[in-house]
Amino acid sequence: MHIERLGVHDSVSAVFPPERLREELSGAVADVRIVADADGIADCDAVVTFAHTDAFLDADLEWVHSIQAGVDRFPFDAFEAAGVALTNSTGIHDASVGEFAVGLMLSFARRLHAYVRAQRDQEWAHPAWDEPFTLAGEHLCVVGLGTLGRGIAERADALGMRVTGVRRSGEPTPHTEAVSAPEDLREAIADATFVALAVPLTDETEGLIGREELAAMREDAYLLNVARGPVVVEDELIDALRDGEIAGAGLDVFETEPLPEESPLWDFEEVVVTPHRAAATRDYSRDIADLVGENLERAAAGRELTNRVV
């Protein structure tokens, strides 16, 4: 694979300015340019992108890189049939997503979200005496122990939490005292104060958390989703929140994004809604440039690309 012209698709502007990545790649072994759907893609050998467009398959590209870890929006079969390599950005989000998930837990435990609402309303309001608690000693179950899940587990462990997990292989990982297989999911989450979802979206994980799993959780437990929206059956989560089956939820991803204005999730006092930004950091473009730059060098040397999924 020989890459002379690399396009930065303007869809990356959803995360950072395309110009920033072009600057970060200024020393790369390829000519780097900004492209759009109808302009410039056909003149490239490879493209770095946030979104998928069929123009990638219509052009004579050799390689497409997704700036996200999740690549469920890309048609794998079509890429394989077209002979186009697809790589993702797994491995760079452990710190950002780990800190974000811990931030959600701290918000619920220390009642920060309630204080922010009170400040907005100019209310000097105190929570009930038994509402605040500390994270030390509380049980967190991380569902999915890849890069994201391990990042969450490491930081929760550092705060003194009791961390367990669920993993496809069921094998132990650092910073977890016990790891269960997916078939034991309901038992694994039954005793947790927090359940953090960090799995990729696949046929196996779509709808992973629904009515029965929510019923298995404690009434004072919180669900955190920093994975993908369809991993949770949203209507059944809303029912569980409305019926008091769980205490609340910290949600960064949703079945439909942006979250529709009419969604009841906006209105629950114990739900924190964030706009799919768990991985966001001012250094994102630099991290992507490091990955892409390494793969440009690998391609030039005839070596296998890092993080290749197709």
Side-chain angles (χ1 to χ4, degrees):
M1 183 184 297
H2 185 58
I3 308 298
E4 293 185 357
R5 299 171 300 274
L6 175 70
V8 177
H9 192 251
D10 60 5
S11 66
V12 304
S13 60
V15 182
F16 50 74
E19 295 80 7
R20 185 65 180 267
L21 182 57
R22 184 180 60 189
E23 293 169 6
E24 297 279 4
L25 287 167
S26 59
V29 292
D31 173 38
V32 183
R33 59 191 69 178
I34 298 172
V35 299
D37 287 359
D39 183 26
I41 293 177
D43 295 327
C44 295
D45 302 307
V47 170
V48 180
T49 188
F50 173 80
H52 171 70
T53 170
D54 288 339
F56 296 155
L57 298 172
D58 296 335
D60 190 23
L61 296 177
E62 294 196 58
W63 166 40
V64 172
H65 178 80
S66 166
I67 67 169
Q68 293 185 291
V71 285
D72 45 273
R73 61 170 58 89
F74 293 85
F76 285 16
D77 291 345
F79 269 73
E80 189 169 358
V84 180
L86 176 64
T87 57
N88 70 358
S89 298
T90 191
I92 68 171
H93 305 112
D94 55 337
S96 55
V97 174
E99 290 179 5
F100 195 91
V102 166
L104 289 172
M105 291 189 287
L106 284 168
S107 181
F108 290 124
R110 307 306 304 141
R111 312 309 294 157
L112 302 180
H113 62 303
Y115 299 139
V116 169
R117 282 199 307 271
Q119 177 183 354
R120 180 194 60 199
D121 298 334
Q122 296 182 319
E123 294 180 357
W124 187 266
H126 292 225
W129 70 270
D130 58 349
E131 286 185 15
F133 59 96
T134 61
L135 293 183
E138 295 294 336
H139 180 188
L140 164 68
C141 182
V142 183
V143 182
L145 286 165
T147 298
L148 303 188
R150 293 188 192 198
I152 297 169
E154 179 180 356
R155 286 153 183 82
D157 183 32
L159 289 173
M161 299 186 75
R162 174 179 164 240
V163 185
T164 63
V166 176
R167 187 185 186 199
R168 184 167 52 188
S169 68
E171 296 177 357
T173 60
H175 305 289
T176 51
E177 66 176 50
V179 174
S180 301
E183 55 265 28
D184 298 318
L185 171 64
R186 292 174 199 161
E187 292 79 5
I189 65 178
D191 184 47
T193 309
F194 296 96
V195 175
L197 307 178
V199 294
L201 179 60
T202 65
D203 291 342
E204 290 74 26
T205 63
E206 185 171 0
L208 181 69
I209 302 296
R211 181 176 294 106
E212 294 182 355
E213 290 72 28
L214 293 162
M217 292 173 60
R218 289 165 30 180
E219 289 185 359
D220 63 345
Y222 292 86
L223 179 71
L224 312 176
N225 191 1
V226 292
R228 282 291 186 269
V231 170
V232 177
V233 183
E234 205 161 278
D235 286 344
E236 295 178 6
L237 171 60
I238 291 169
D239 289 342
L241 290 163
R242 188 174 286 137
D243 296 341
E245 292 185 6
I246 63 173
L251 307 172
D252 188 52
V253 289
F254 305 89
E255 288 180 348
T256 300
E257 296 180 5
L259 182 65
E261 291 183 7
E262 63 273 16
S263 172
L265 291 171
W266 291 108
D267 302 321
F268 289 103
E269 290 189 0
E270 289 302 304
V271 171
V272 173
V273 170
T274 56
H276 202 150
R277 280 300 178 270
T281 167
R282 64 186 178 187
D283 295 326
Y284 204 116
S285 60
R286 184 194 64 191
D287 294 337
I288 295 299
D290 288 345
L291 267 179
V292 172
E294 178 187 349
N295 270 341
L296 285 171
E297 293 177 358
R298 283 175 170 266
R303 298 166 59 200
E304 181 65 31
L305 299 178
T306 296
N307 288 358
R308 184 165 181 167
V309 293
V310 175

